[in-house]
Amino acid sequence: MSTKVTLTYNNISVDLPVITGTENESAVDIAALRSAANLITLDPGYKNTGSCLSTITFLDGDLGILRYRGYAIEELAEKATFLEVAYLLIFGELPNIDQLTKFQNDIKANSFVDEDVKKIIDAFPKAAHPMGVLASLTSALTAFNPSSVNVDSDEDMYKAIAKIMGKFPVLVAWTMRKTQGLPIDYGAKDLDYIENIMKMMFSQPNETYIINKSVKEALNKLLILHADHEQNCSTSTVRIVGSSQAGLFASLSAGISALWGPLHGGANQAVLEMLEAIRLDGGDTEKFLNKAKDKDDPFRLMGFGHRVYKNFDPRARIIKKAADEVLDDLGIDDPVLDIAKALEREALKDPYFVDRKLYPNVDFYSGIIYRSLGIPVQMFTVMFALGRLPGWIAQWREMRKGKEPIGRPRQIYTGPTLRSYIDISKR
Ligand code: SDX
């Protein structure tokens, strides 16, 4: 395999090295391009541009492959716990029983959130979108944990990771209960990570909370499936914010804001709202597929399409199966699941979607499960963030430990050339 490309421009030839990864993906390293040929590259949306070398997550969009540190997502979703996967993503290996026990205990010991944070939550209007609240609270953690992370100290890094892994679910649960007008629940020492999330989110003030096994398994699977996805929009945001040596909590807060967008993590909320609209409109899926294909109609089939997957998103396959299982276990007959399946069936036969390789993505079925668990639709993207947290941490840690330079893309200027100031009296 060639290890270089030669670019010729204006009678200048420059050899550029080709980098090949462990999965035989190759990239041209253009670091020397500007100094050698006075050229930069242009790639809006970075559709064809790699930002880093990474050992964390591999995905093949053509084959529908997703692996965390070499382990197939299908195996992890079926056999692992979310905390095992979080440890794997962050530290690179599956933990042994002692490592996992220590990780869980250290997280639990760091799960207390300063009571003053409640004053911040109370300052928000009840109708505030939970993603805005969560991004603010995550950034506010910096005020309560001012010491910046010494990334060269494994101990310091580990402490910061245990802190955010412990406090983030509390912020998620407090955010949800704020929107519901429910009193805060502090979880319980004898519960594990997922069980505590469930109790803090779902317990009712005057009832003993009983863990539903089916709900626990569904949540565990959903969080694993959302845990990382290489250089997506929000992860790239976390990396570029961290590259200025901004703190971990500040970088995560920026990632939460990027995830909020309906083209990204906000799609899971948009999918449910779309399915509900179709249901209320009489369930005419063909009508809405035609709207999605109409260039003059801003309507898009939310939960469909992906920047990288040009085949089935492997997570969508797993979540679709889990949706059937969870709704069956809980005895819920949700008509929007049938609408989603009808949309998928019809779209996968429609040349518009087939030619553009538009398949269901991670967001297409996930909201149906969240709704069956009693999670409000505005909280769906918060659940995505809860799952993505270990991936963001892992990617931020990799970038900082790799001493990567501050992210600062170039541009091609197309504005006015030099002109002189004109006094206002003459304009
Ligand atoms: C996530 O990157 C990640 O890894 C993200 C994520 C993660 O885990 O972090 O996987 C999570 O964000 C999943 C994606 C969730 N978003 C949605 O479901 C929103 C709906 N999907 C689209 O908006 C779109 O598919 C994107 C944003 C996901 C991808 O857009 P691209 O890669 O920029 O593709 P494009 O917009 O250029 O579309 C190519 C063509 C266009 O038609 P033509 O101009 O070629 O005629 O496909 C069409 C688009 O109009 N198209 C759609 C469509 N998605 C693309 N048409 C109708 N409905 C859609 N959903």
Side-chain angles (χ1 to χ4, degrees):
M1 184 183 292
S2 173
T3 56
K4 69 179 173 81
V5 293
T6 301
L7 184 141
T8 303
Y9 172 69
N10 279 352
N11 301 322
I12 298 170
S13 274
V14 55
D15 285 346
L16 297 169
V18 172
I19 311 280
T20 299
T22 50
E23 291 286 352
N24 295 320
E25 302 164 301
S26 294
V28 179
D29 180 341
I30 59 167
L33 182 60
R34 191 163 164 271
S35 56
N38 195 28
L39 279 173
I40 65 168
T41 58
L42 189 61
D43 186 20
Y46 310 110
K47 292 191 174 189
N48 307 287
T49 298
S51 60
C52 61
L53 301 176
S54 180
T55 62
I56 299 170
T57 291
F58 168 70
L59 59 91
D60 181 317
D62 296 321
L63 299 178
I65 291 172
L66 173 58
R67 298 185 196 133
Y68 296 160
R69 301 284 189 180
Y71 294 95
I73 191 64
E74 293 80 3
E75 265 205 298
L76 293 171
E78 208 49 50
K79 300 174 182 172
T81 66
F82 176 60
L83 227 44
E84 275 182 288
V85 170
Y87 188 100
L88 169 69
L89 285 168
I90 295 169
F91 300 110
E93 297 296 337
L94 283 168
N96 62 35
I97 189 70
D98 294 340
Q99 290 165 328
L100 184 61
T101 305
K102 180 179 185 316
F103 193 46
Q104 174 143 305
N105 292 341
D106 291 337
I107 287 171
K108 203 170 274 189
N110 282 277
S111 60
F112 292 102
V113 172
D114 194 300
E115 287 288 295
D116 281 350
V117 170
K118 284 193 222 167
K119 293 175 186 161
I120 303 173
I121 294 184
D122 290 342
F124 283 99
K126 209 172 186 173
H129 194 291
M131 282 297 276
V133 175
L134 183 64
S136 308
L137 295 182
T138 304
S139 189
L141 281 181
T142 307
F144 296 92
N145 303 273
S147 58
S148 62
V149 184
N150 171 9
V151 293
D152 297 323
S153 153
D154 287 344
E155 187 189 346
D156 216 22
M157 192 74 231
Y158 179 84
K159 276 183 193 159
I161 291 163
K163 265 185 195 173
I164 192 64
M165 284 296 293
K167 298 177 191 314
F168 199 74
V170 176
L171 299 182
V172 164
W174 286 11
T175 299
M176 176 163 143
R177 295 182 81 95
K178 163 78 185 177
T179 60
Q180 296 174 317
L182 283 171
I184 271 165
D185 181 292
Y186 288 89
K189 278 185 97 59
D190 60 333
L191 298 179
D192 70 25
Y193 195 77
I194 299 285
E195 292 168 347
N196 254 318
I197 289 171
M198 291 168 67
K199 182 176 184 298
M200 291 189 293
M201 286 182 70
F202 304 131
S203 71
Q204 291 302 311
N206 49 2
E207 289 170 11
T208 305
Y209 186 67
I210 309 291
I211 298 289
N212 176 308
K213 189 169 171 295
S214 174
V215 171
K216 179 181 176 180
E217 282 172 9
L219 259 186
N220 183 67
K221 190 170 283 187
L222 280 168
L223 294 179
I224 288 172
L225 291 168
H226 286 83
D228 194 53
H229 213 240
E230 53 132 281
Q231 304 312 314
N232 59 84
C233 178
S234 54
T235 299
S236 299
T237 301
V238 169
R239 284 183 82 119
I240 202 165
V241 169
S243 73
S244 73
Q245 297 191 0
L248 175 57
F249 300 163
S251 305
L252 293 172
S253 175
I256 294 164
S257 297
L259 186 70
W260 192 357
L263 295 187
H264 190 14
N268 59 14
Q269 172 179 338
V271 168
L272 229 295
E273 289 164 348
M274 172 188 76
L275 294 173
E276 269 297 299
I278 296 172
R279 184 180 68 81
L280 294 171
D281 183 77
D284 183 350
T285 49
E286 189 183 353
K287 171 182 168 185
F288 284 86
L289 283 176
N290 288 332
K291 282 170 63 68
K293 299 187 301 189
D294 180 356
K295 289 300 170 201
D296 297 325
D297 190 324
F299 177 83
R300 279 205 155 186
L301 193 59
M302 301 311 278
F304 251 73
H306 197 277
R307 171 60 56 74
V308 179
Y309 287 123
K310 300 308 173 189
N311 191 328
F312 239 92
D313 182 333
R315 302 166 297 177
R317 230 190 267 281
I318 298 168
I319 294 174
K320 178 183 176 183
K321 181 169 174 284
D324 277 327
E325 290 162 357
V326 171
L327 269 67
D328 187 43
D329 284 353
L330 298 177
I332 295 172
D333 176 19
D334 189 342
V336 299
L337 178 57
D338 298 331
I339 291 173
K341 287 180 179 176
L343 282 169
E344 177 190 335
R345 201 169 39 248
E346 291 159 33
L348 297 187
K349 290 183 297 193
D350 186 309
Y352 173 92
F353 294 91
V354 173
D355 295 350
R356 292 168 178 79
K357 298 183 178 179
L358 302 177
Y359 291 86
N361 61 48
V362 66
D363 293 311
F364 192 60
Y365 288 103
S366 55
I368 295 168
I369 299 180
Y370 290 141
R371 181 156 87 161
S372 74
L373 304 184
I375 296 171
V377 67
Q378 282 209 332
M379 281 291 295
F380 288 2
T381 312
V382 169
M383 296 308 291
F384 192 140
L386 185 60
R388 187 53 52 90
L389 178 66
W392 284 335
I393 294 170
Q395 299 271 351
W396 188 93
R397 180 174 179 270
E398 179 179 72
M399 179 276 305
R400 288 300 304 275
K401 287 179 81 70
K403 307 285 184 215
E404 288 186 17
I406 184 169
R408 202 274 184 221
R410 293 280 178 158
Q411 64 161 29
I412 293 296
Y413 176 71
T414 57
T417 52
L418 180 64
R419 50 184 174 164
S420 303
Y421 180 82
I422 302 166
D423 188 83
I424 193 163
S425 60
K426 297 194 178 76
R427 287 179 216 158

